[in-house]
Amino acid sequence: MAHMYRWLGLPKLVRSLSYPKVPLSEPLPQFEGDKQHLLYDPARATPTQITQLENGLTVASESALGQLSTIGVFVDAGSRYEVRYTSGVSHLMSKLAFNSTERFEHREAISDVIHDRGGIMDCQPFRDTIVYGVSLFSDSVEQAVEVLAEALWRPRLTAEELELGKMSLSFELQDIHMKADPEQLMQELIHQAAYRSNTLGLSFFCPEENIPKLTRAELQQYMASHFTPDRMVISATGVQHDHVVELVKKHFVNPRRSYEGVDTKPVDGSIAQYTGGENKLQREAPPVIGPNPLPDLNSVAIAMEAVDHTHDDIYAFLVLGSMMGGGGSFSAGGPGKGMYTQLYRDVLNQHHWIYSALAQNFVYKDGGIFSLFGSASPRNTRSLVEVLCRQFFQMATRPDIGHLNRAKQQLKSTILMNLESRLVQFEDIGRQVLMLKKRLPPEVLIEKIDQVTPLDIERIGQRMLCSRVSYAALGNLQHAPSFQDVEKGMIYDGKLPKLNKLFTFS
């Protein structure tokens, strides 16, 4: 290998380059002096352009440098609107996306159009949104819009496709329950506990027993009721706005729909009602083929009511989530990753028996929850719940200004770095315009984050303690506390009632 380097002349090349020997504690010479050219300038940023068409459909786009574009449709639909339907209809719809249409006889015909232009396509369901998206070369945006229009307006939904979609659902459900990482399942359980039997608490995954009940007629009825122009936002990045608007007018205005004439049902306009409560699922350790790096663990989640996407306190909750942080006891990011967050300092570094602890903030247009997730061995489940409950009381105190500033800086850098991704930018545009009818530029988000004070964190922490607790648990629940004990713990500084043992040696 050394001979190859010498043959290439690399040592001489390296010596010819003049690298300044500057300590890491000092700035590089070329970055000294006026640094204005290094700062973000909103005046040079490309604004998001928004146009609402005569049929109520909204087009939002932002141009960007590069040869690739992403365009897709955000539909105001999802599992929260399934109260009048068989639970799981939107989950199945995502499996049937980009199948045969009136113009494309089979899925491969659509794939050929997109793949031949260096693209990919996907459909992702969420509790409050269904997203159809296509990424491909910028000179082929018209083909992407045409494919999207066919997928949304004129799907054939054949018996064969329906059967394959149901098989895919069944496989996915088996995979979720067999995964060693229960993140998806825990999110489902805590939402069902927080919004009992309404809107955001309706099952996101199709229940196994509902798979045979889903029919083509019900799918068409759901699409006819929810897939209307006034409930759609077309988001695009890396394209010229006027060009996209013209293409959308061509393919999305006054469309011919394969489910035309199907009887519709009124769209559920219920506002999310936070109820609190418990949701436990007894489960043995999932079978794993081959070496299993994870021990037998129980997972728990504690959540309190937060705020919706339009509330002024949303920025304080975002900062609080950054300040709490968390992760696993063994991080793939290397030593020191995230060690300054509160869940690392006060939980993972103090309790060796806790395998993971993580804060997550779920935000929707009419509600939200702030959750703490944790995992430990089954015999330590009760102690884990107590530790997480105490963290909520810690949140209700005024934080150290240094920790708060560090969390704000980390949150701002995370937002700005993520927005450099074309796919993240595409999703951010679509979600904001669908919920807010506008898009807040990054500089507004940064300004709002900078305005968060220690008093704001203390105030929202105390506000959460006034709501009813939501509690979810998964695993071998023999040692899991009851919901009544958790409720008492959220009254008495996070301390659960002591167990009364009949025998001292038990």
Side-chain angles (χ1 to χ4, degrees):
M1 186 67 71
H3 293 291
M4 183 181 70
Y5 287 152
R6 285 196 294 270
W7 179 74
L8 290 173
L10 290 181
K12 183 182 296 184
L13 175 62
V14 171
R15 287 195 300 270
S16 66
L17 298 175
S18 57
Y19 290 108
K21 297 180 179 180
V22 180
L24 293 177
S25 58
E26 300 178 11
L28 293 172
Q30 58 266 40
F31 293 104
E32 292 181 332
D34 183 19
K35 301 181 179 61
Q36 290 298 317
H37 63 288
L38 302 175
L39 301 178
Y40 170 74
D41 185 4
R44 294 184 297 176
T46 305
T48 301
Q49 296 179 272
I50 301 174
T51 299
Q52 187 171 34
L53 305 183
E54 59 270 18
N55 64 348
L57 189 147
T58 302
V59 182
S61 71
E62 191 168 304
S63 60
L65 298 176
Q67 298 180 346
L68 297 175
S69 298
T70 299
I71 185 168
V73 184
F74 287 72
V75 186
D76 188 7
S79 60
R80 68 167 297 164
Y81 297 107
E82 293 180 0
V83 66
R84 296 186 177 95
Y85 299 86
T86 302
S87 177
V89 61
S90 58
H91 192 188
L92 178 58
M93 281 187 54
S94 67
K95 303 300 179 185
L96 299 176
F98 299 109
N99 273 312
S100 65
T101 68
E102 292 183 5
R103 185 181 184 282
F104 300 98
E105 294 185 0
H106 44 78
R107 182 181 181 87
E108 288 71 22
I110 292 183
S111 299
D112 289 343
V113 171
I114 301 301
H115 294 165
D116 289 350
R117 291 162 175 80
I120 57 173
M121 55 190 179
D122 191 22
C123 176
Q124 291 292 332
F126 300 90
R127 295 185 183 278
D128 57 348
T129 317
I130 299 178
V131 182
Y132 292 74
V134 177
S135 291
L136 75 180
F137 286 115
S138 300
D139 57 1
S140 303
V141 172
E142 183 168 4
Q143 285 77 16
V145 175
E146 182 181 9
V147 165
L148 288 168
E150 285 289 318
L152 271 77
W153 296 140
R154 292 174 286 277
R156 292 170 59 191
L157 303 177
T158 65
E160 181 183 4
E161 291 170 350
L162 196 63
E163 189 63 29
L164 290 175
K166 291 182 177 181
M167 289 176 59
S168 178
L169 277 186
S170 183
F171 291 148
E172 182 177 349
L173 291 176
Q174 293 177 24
D175 180 63
I176 290 171
H177 285 277
M178 292 178 64
K179 279 183 177 179
D181 181 7
E183 180 180 358
Q184 288 180 295
L185 200 51
M186 287 303 299
Q187 291 181 5
E188 175 79 352
L189 294 177
I190 197 62
H191 275 82
Q192 291 179 356
Y195 297 93
R196 178 68 62 185
S197 302
N198 79 92
T199 57
L200 300 172
L202 298 180
S203 179
F204 172 73
F205 299 108
C206 178
E208 186 74 36
E209 63 273 13
N210 283 2
I211 293 179
K213 302 177 184 177
L214 294 169
T215 64
R216 180 176 186 268
E218 188 168 26
L219 289 170
Q220 288 187 319
Q221 189 175 48
Y222 187 85
M223 296 186 75
S225 302
H226 295 83
F227 283 42
T228 56
D230 59 304
R231 300 179 64 84
M232 293 182 179
V233 169
I234 294 184
S235 171
T237 60
V239 294
Q240 294 298 320
H241 184 72
D242 293 340
H243 182 49
V244 176
V245 170
E246 290 302 316
L247 294 176
V248 171
K249 286 181 178 179
K250 177 180 178 182
H251 294 283
F252 279 83
V253 175
N254 299 321
R256 186 183 73 261
R257 304 190 296 177
S258 61
Y259 41 87
E260 201 76 51
V262 174
D263 291 337
T264 61
K265 292 182 179 180
V267 175
D268 180 30
S270 303
I271 297 176
Q273 299 294 322
Y274 179 86
T275 61
E278 73 169 336
N279 195 8
K280 294 181 181 179
L281 180 60
Q282 178 76 25
R283 185 184 77 165
E284 299 301 323
V288 178
I289 300 176
N292 182 10
L294 294 177
D296 183 13
L297 299 172
N298 277 5
S299 297
V300 300
I302 305 294
M304 306 296 279
E305 186 179 14
V307 297
D308 60 66
H309 199 282
T310 62
H311 200 283
D312 290 339
D313 283 338
I314 180 63
Y315 303 100
F317 273 100
L318 293 176
V319 173
L320 177 61
S322 178
M323 189 170 65
M324 297 302 294
S329 56
F330 295 95
S331 172
K337 178 190 175 188
M339 291 297 184
Y340 288 106
T341 62
Q342 186 168 316
L343 289 181
Y344 263 109
R345 295 193 325 268
D346 298 346
V347 176
L348 292 169
N349 289 348
Q350 301 297 325
H351 306 284
H352 66 89
W353 44 269
I354 295 181
Y355 190 85
S356 66
L358 179 67
Q360 281 190 297
N361 189 25
F362 299 96
V363 186
Y364 303 95
K365 66 179 181 181
D366 55 357
I369 55 175
F370 191 91
S371 311
L372 295 183
F373 295 86
S375 60
S377 64
R379 63 186 178 87
N380 289 322
T381 305
R382 187 178 184 86
S383 299
L384 173 61
V385 171
E386 188 170 66
V387 169
L388 296 182
C389 288
R390 287 177 178 174
Q391 286 302 305
F392 276 98
F393 283 89
Q394 184 66 29
M395 292 183 219
T397 62
R398 199 168 304 177
D400 176 78
I401 189 64
H403 293 158
L404 177 63
N405 288 337
R406 183 184 294 112
K408 290 161 69 172
Q409 295 294 344
Q410 184 174 357
L411 176 61
K412 290 188 292 185
S413 64
T414 299
I415 291 174
L416 294 177
M417 285 190 292
N418 285 341
L419 287 177
E420 292 181 4
S421 165
R422 186 182 69 259
L423 295 178
V424 174
Q425 187 183 45
F426 156 77
E427 184 174 354
D428 184 60
I429 292 173
R431 286 191 175 278
Q432 286 204 45
V433 174
L434 187 64
M435 284 194 286
L436 304 176
K437 307 303 181 185
K438 62 180 180 180
R439 190 196 180 205
L440 299 176
E443 55 267 23
V444 173
L445 301 179
I446 300 304
E447 181 182 359
K448 295 288 188 181
I449 291 171
D450 284 334
Q451 292 174 357
V452 175
T453 66
L455 286 175
D456 294 326
I457 301 298
E458 181 181 19
R459 176 173 50 78
I460 65 172
Q462 293 176 353
R463 170 179 174 167
M464 283 193 291
L465 292 179
C466 296
S467 66
R468 193 183 187 210
V469 65
S470 299
Y471 167 49
L474 172 69
N476 180 1
L477 305 180
Q478 179 182 356
H479 299 284
S482 66
F483 179 66
Q484 290 72 23
D485 284 353
V486 177
E487 280 192 307
K488 291 177 182 177
M490 294 306 294
I491 297 175
Y492 301 110
D493 296 332
K495 297 178 181 179
L496 302 186
K498 291 185 177 181
L499 293 176
N500 295 320
K501 295 187 177 181
L502 295 178
F503 303 99
T504 57
F505 54 81
S506 61

